[in-house]
């Protein structure tokens, strides 16, 4: 692969049981990006589904190449296929973008960062283990905190509320925009855009 290749990973769990749950918002964003690229996922030998295409560029120039990935493993093992695909496509960790749910952010919040801790997120912990570093990019999708004394795992594995579902398509679109901005404009410029009050 060329040096302009990115690995864009939507974290989630496979199977109909987990569809449309908060923990699977990374899958939803990859689906949105696939639709924009008019592409479709295919199975790989790395226990993941992937598609390759061009991201939007700036100034009329073609954008960078991106490999969109949905691991077919459960969340806590997602680092294994990601690490394998990163090596196969010669993508360095600083060009890996992980899209994941974040209970420390209000629902509908978009935050971008490079590196840092995993915040108890098993998918990020697995990525860090298999990439050998925490210095990859993250698109943090706020899903809010569980109500009352509800267990965090039960909350993120639950489906979005009826009220959340009303704005979920816009939220997913914003997250996809953030991925495109990260690739086209870089982290600092994308942060300035998406961290501003909306």
């Amino acid at each position: 692969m060329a040096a302009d290749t990115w690995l864009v990973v939507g974290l989630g769990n496979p199977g109909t049981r987990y569809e449309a749950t908060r923990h699977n918002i990374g899958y939803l964003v990859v689906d949105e990006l696939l639709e924009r690229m008019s592409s479709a996922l295919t199975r790989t030998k790395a226990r993941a589904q992937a598609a390759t295409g061009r991201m939007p560029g700036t100034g009329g120039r073609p954008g960078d190449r991106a490999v969109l990935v949905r691991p077919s493993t459960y969340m806590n093992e997602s680092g294994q296929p990601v690490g394998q695909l990163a090596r196969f496509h010669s993508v360095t960790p600083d060009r890996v973008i992980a899209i994941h749910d974040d209970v420390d952010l209000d629902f509908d919040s978009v935050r971008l960062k490079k590196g840092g801790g995993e915040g108890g997120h098993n998918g990020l912990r697995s990525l860090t283990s298999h990439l050998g570093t925490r210095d990859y990019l993250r698109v943090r999708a706020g899903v809010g905190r569980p109500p009352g004394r509800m267990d965090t795992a039960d909350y993120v594995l639950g489906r979005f509320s009826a009220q959340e579902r009303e704005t979920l398509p816009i939220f997913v679109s914003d997250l996809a925009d953030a991925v495109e901005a990260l690739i086209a404009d870089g982290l600092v410029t994308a942060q300035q855009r998406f961290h501003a009050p909306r």
Side-chain angles (χ1 to χ4, degrees):
M1 280 283 183
D4 67 350
T5 300
W6 296 78
L7 205 66
V8 178
V9 182
L11 292 178
N13 284 308
T16 54
R17 176 184 172 188
Y18 299 103
E19 283 180 5
T21 61
R22 296 179 179 91
H23 222 24
N24 273 35
I25 196 159
Y27 274 19
L28 299 178
V29 178
V30 165
D31 289 346
E32 171 70 17
L33 291 167
L34 286 165
E35 192 171 321
R36 295 181 183 190
M37 286 172 30
S38 299
S39 190
L41 294 169
T42 57
R43 290 184 182 179
T44 71
K45 293 180 180 178
R47 293 203 299 164
Q49 294 177 304
T52 303
R54 286 275 173 192
M55 302 300 281
T58 56
R61 293 171 300 182
D64 288 353
R65 185 182 303 276
V67 182
L68 304 181
V69 180
R70 278 176 44 159
S72 301
T73 59
Y74 286 106
M75 182 74 82
N76 61 350
E77 298 178 336
S78 49
Q80 183 177 0
V82 172
Q84 198 172 334
L85 287 169
R87 290 187 294 274
F88 178 79
H89 292 290
S90 301
V91 176
T92 54
D94 62 323
R95 294 178 78 85
V96 174
I97 300 173
I99 310 158
H100 66 92
D101 60 305
D102 195 318
V103 296
D104 291 326
L105 298 173
D106 291 338
F107 176 75
D108 200 23
S109 299
V110 179
R111 292 292 181 270
L112 312 173
K113 73 173 186 175
K114 180 179 179 180
E118 290 90 20
H121 196 290
N122 289 332
L124 294 179
R125 189 177 289 126
S126 183
L127 257 65
T128 296
S129 174
H130 287 273
L131 292 173
T133 180
R134 290 175 169 167
D135 290 335
Y136 50 91
L137 293 157
R138 295 104 181 271
V139 174
R140 302 166 63 203
V143 295
R145 296 206 64 81
R149 297 184 179 182
M150 185 177 186
D151 182 72
T152 301
D154 291 338
Y155 177 72
V156 297
L157 293 175
R159 298 183 183 274
F160 291 99
S161 69
Q163 185 177 357
E164 289 170 340
R165 286 197 298 272
E166 288 181 12
T167 56
L168 185 60
I170 298 169
F171 183 27
V172 169
S173 181
D174 287 344
L175 290 161
D177 289 346
V179 172
E180 292 178 347
L182 258 182
I183 291 173
D185 304 321
L187 177 60
V188 174
T189 300
Q191 283 175 327
Q192 289 169 348
R193 174 181 168 190
F194 287 93
H195 293 193
R198 290 190 287 164

